[in-house]
Amino acid sequence: MNDLPDRFPRGWFVLGHQRDFPVGETKTIFGFNNKILISRIEDGSVAVDVGGDTSWPVLEINQMVMVWHDVEKQDPDFTPDKIEECYSDDWSDYGMASFIVKNNCRELIDNMADKGHFGPVHQAPFEGFWNEAKDHTYTQEMTADSPILGRDLFSQARYEGPAYMTTYMSAVHDGAKVESRLLVSHIPLTLTSFVINFGVMVKKVPGMSAEDEAAFIQGYVDANNFAFGQDVAIWENKIYIPDPVVCDGDGPLHKLRKWYGQFLVNRADIPSGLDLEKREF
Amino acid sequence: MTDQELIAPELPEQKDPATSGLESGWYKVAKSEDIPLKKAIQIDDFPTQIVVWRGEDAVLRSLDLYCKHMGASLACGEVEENSIQCPFHAWRWAGDGQCDKIPYAKKIPAKAITRSWEVSENDGMIYVWFDRDQKPADPNGQKFN
């Protein structure tokens, strides 16, 4: 039988981009087995109603509206770091896209330690691959060469909690260096489905017209959509192996899953020793 | 932004064949023409989910459907030589259940073994042996459609 978690993880979850919640409007989305109403009231603040419960903490940071989920109903014990690029005129805003995945949201997390899937699934064999876990953060650094996401690729991806990942990426396209920032967030709909909301912003190229810039961002959104499609084809046709046999070339998958497990238990039950010093795998 | 409904799909699982209650015997799973050279198919109509493929030597082989490494469906993979290669991490499995190649590993872990199923082919039909006592296949055993 499928051994599903008994709850949704504790942490900050992105509800959407700030621009999607204008003053005076109420939007409805689904998440956490509930209908969620999101309203921006006249004073500019956002009120969230999750199935009639209005006590969920709300945060606006890095262009996103986020909500804190915690079955124990305690105050947040961290907030995501501010990303300067989200507030800089030198960078575009996030272009956003979303799609549903029919599996438990933990499937997404395995990717952080899963260096072995980049070649077969994304045709992008890694060159260097590093992982680090510290408190509520988990960081992956990677160098690779990808026909889809760019040549001479460097990326640093960091989870802050179980559902908010941001990436700094640089790659060479047509001989020019492109710097980008990725957002990969998700909201669980049920224990066997979730919605990925992802965003892409790029460093503006001097002299580029607004039109070309929009097309360029859309190209990056499309490329990432394509890469996610490759993952989804796997995610929707697999079982969960709780204790996989790993080989010497695999990343620290067991370590990563233990780190993620801290968000699936009460705070008093979080084990110690979840940190992982940065090292290459 | 999304306005999707709350869908809660059932997730795939590798059923325990011991709970099937079926008799031991050869179970027809496909026609010969359904599995051409170097092709793999998924079979759900069996005591557990299996992949059946035809190697480049034209011989049919069968394993549990889901990869013992990270759980992907081997039927979505490619036949390479006479083995089946998983689409997720390219671990390659031989017909006897042994992992025989991991492109990015120095050494294949001793525990990288999956369950294999005996296949026979006659009169244009493909049969897989199921044994409720986990004994080897009986070539003259009963056939079930």
Side-chain angles (χ1 to χ4, degrees):
Chain A
M1 290 304 288
N2 286 300
D3 191 14
L4 288 169
D6 66 356
R7 65 184 74 184
F8 301 117
R10 174 182 60 257
W12 288 106
F13 291 81
V14 170
L15 298 173
H17 196 281
Q18 284 176 322
R19 64 180 171 236
D20 294 329
F21 306 105
V23 172
E25 285 186 26
T26 297
K27 293 269 168 75
T28 304
I29 66 170
F30 291 89
F32 306 100
N33 264 331
N34 266 301
K35 189 185 258 195
I36 307 176
L37 306 177
I38 306 140
S39 320
R40 190 181 296 280
I41 48 186
E42 294 305 325
D43 69 3
S45 66
V46 171
V48 172
D49 173 328
V50 186
D53 181 353
T54 55
S55 70
W56 293 37
V58 179
L59 174 70
E60 286 192 72
I61 191 168
N62 302 333
Q63 302 182 16
M64 298 297 139
V65 175
M66 305 177 84
V67 73
W68 175 260
H69 170 258
D70 180 1
V71 292
E72 293 182 280
K73 289 282 171 199
Q74 293 185 37
D75 289 337
D77 52 1
F78 68 90
T79 50
D81 288 341
K82 195 174 170 190
I83 297 171
E84 293 304 327
E85 290 90 328
C86 293
Y87 303 90
S88 165
D89 290 338
D90 294 337
W91 285 70
S92 73
D93 282 350
Y94 277 117
M96 301 287 294
S98 71
F99 56 92
I100 278 196
V101 181
K102 293 175 196 148
N103 208 325
N104 185 270
C105 54
R106 65 185 168 188
E107 294 292 340
L108 185 56
I109 311 300
D110 279 351
N111 267 10
M112 290 295 278
D114 192 358
K115 70 175 194 177
H117 91 290
F118 289 103
V121 179
H122 301 300
Q123 300 83 48
F126 57 88
E127 286 157 4
F129 189 89
W130 297 262
N131 269 194
E132 178 183 16
K134 187 151 178 38
D135 303 327
H136 64 278
T137 70
Y138 196 99
T139 307
Q140 172 206 78
E141 284 185 15
M142 190 179 64
T143 52
D145 201 45
S146 163
I148 299 159
L149 297 176
R151 302 292 170 188
D152 289 331
L153 186 77
F154 167 78
S155 88
Q156 186 195 56
R158 172 169 294 150
Y159 266 91
E160 293 169 273
Y164 178 72
M165 190 199 89
T166 55
T167 301
Y168 167 82
M169 200 185 278
S170 73
V172 174
H173 287 269
D174 303 327
K177 183 181 176 186
V178 176
E179 289 179 82
S180 60
R181 276 216 166 254
L182 222 64
L183 159 75
V184 179
S185 69
H186 67 270
I187 307 174
L189 293 174
T190 66
L191 284 174
T192 58
S193 58
F194 62 100
V195 175
I196 291 183
N197 287 301
F198 77 93
V200 178
M201 61 162 72
V202 295
K203 190 171 187 180
K204 293 178 182 170
V205 178
M208 190 184 261
S209 71
E211 198 175 62
D212 285 351
E213 186 186 299
F216 186 67
I217 293 166
Q218 190 56 48
Y220 240 53
V221 170
D222 292 346
N224 279 283
N225 239 336
F226 183 80
F228 275 124
Q230 295 173 316
D231 282 316
V232 172
I234 300 282
W235 289 336
E236 293 197 342
N237 208 350
K238 75 184 284 293
I239 57 171
Y240 186 75
I241 309 275
D243 186 21
V245 173
V246 294
C247 69
D248 55 60
D250 279 323
L253 189 79
H254 293 278
K255 194 84 193 165
L256 167 68
R257 287 187 175 179
K258 279 192 185 128
W259 171 85
Y260 181 71
Q262 71 179 297
F263 307 113
L264 291 168
V265 295
N266 291 351
R267 288 187 208 193
D269 299 329
I270 298 173
S272 59
L274 297 179
D275 286 359
L276 170 69
E277 248 184 79
K278 181 178 174 179
R279 71 178 177 96
E280 185 165 10
F281 289 91
Chain B
M1 286 293 287
T2 175
D3 53 5
Q4 301 291 340
E5 296 294 325
L6 288 167
I7 51 154
E10 291 229 1
L11 300 184
E13 57 175 314
Q14 184 81 57
K15 280 185 293 190
D16 178 0
T19 63
S20 79
L22 290 176
E23 300 282 307
S24 300
W26 291 104
Y27 285 83
K28 189 173 102 183
V29 296
K31 294 182 193 148
S32 291
E33 67 204 44
D34 296 336
I35 314 183
L37 211 59
K38 301 197 77 175
K39 291 288 176 210
I41 64 168
Q42 172 174 341
I43 305 291
D44 295 308
D45 188 16
F46 191 71
T48 189
Q49 295 86 342
I50 54 175
V51 56
V52 182
W53 77 95
R54 196 183 295 278
E56 62 183 24
D57 61 0
V59 174
L60 290 162
R61 297 169 176 84
S62 176
L63 299 173
D64 274 4
L65 180 64
Y66 296 106
C67 185
K68 287 291 183 286
H69 176 225
M70 290 288 282
S73 165
L74 295 176
C76 301
E78 302 279 334
V79 177
E80 191 185 84
E81 298 173 344
N82 297 318
S83 299
I84 184 92
Q85 186 185 54
C86 180
F88 202 177
H89 300 88
W91 287 32
R92 209 179 80 166
W93 302 87
D96 64 358
Q98 291 280 343
C99 176
D100 66 2
K101 191 175 171 186
I102 303 174
Y104 60 93
K106 292 193 191 84
K107 189 170 168 286
I108 294 170
K111 287 187 189 162
I113 298 168
T114 188
R115 183 164 44 201
S116 68
W117 299 90
E118 290 183 70
V119 189
S120 81
E121 185 172 25
N122 45 58
D123 296 334
M125 295 295 171
I126 297 169
Y127 299 86
V128 179
W129 178 262
F130 169 68
D131 198 291
R132 46 188 299 167
D133 304 312
Q134 295 174 35
K135 290 188 197 146
D138 172 2
N140 303 312
Q142 198 180 346
K143 285 193 172 82
F144 297 98
N145 285 321

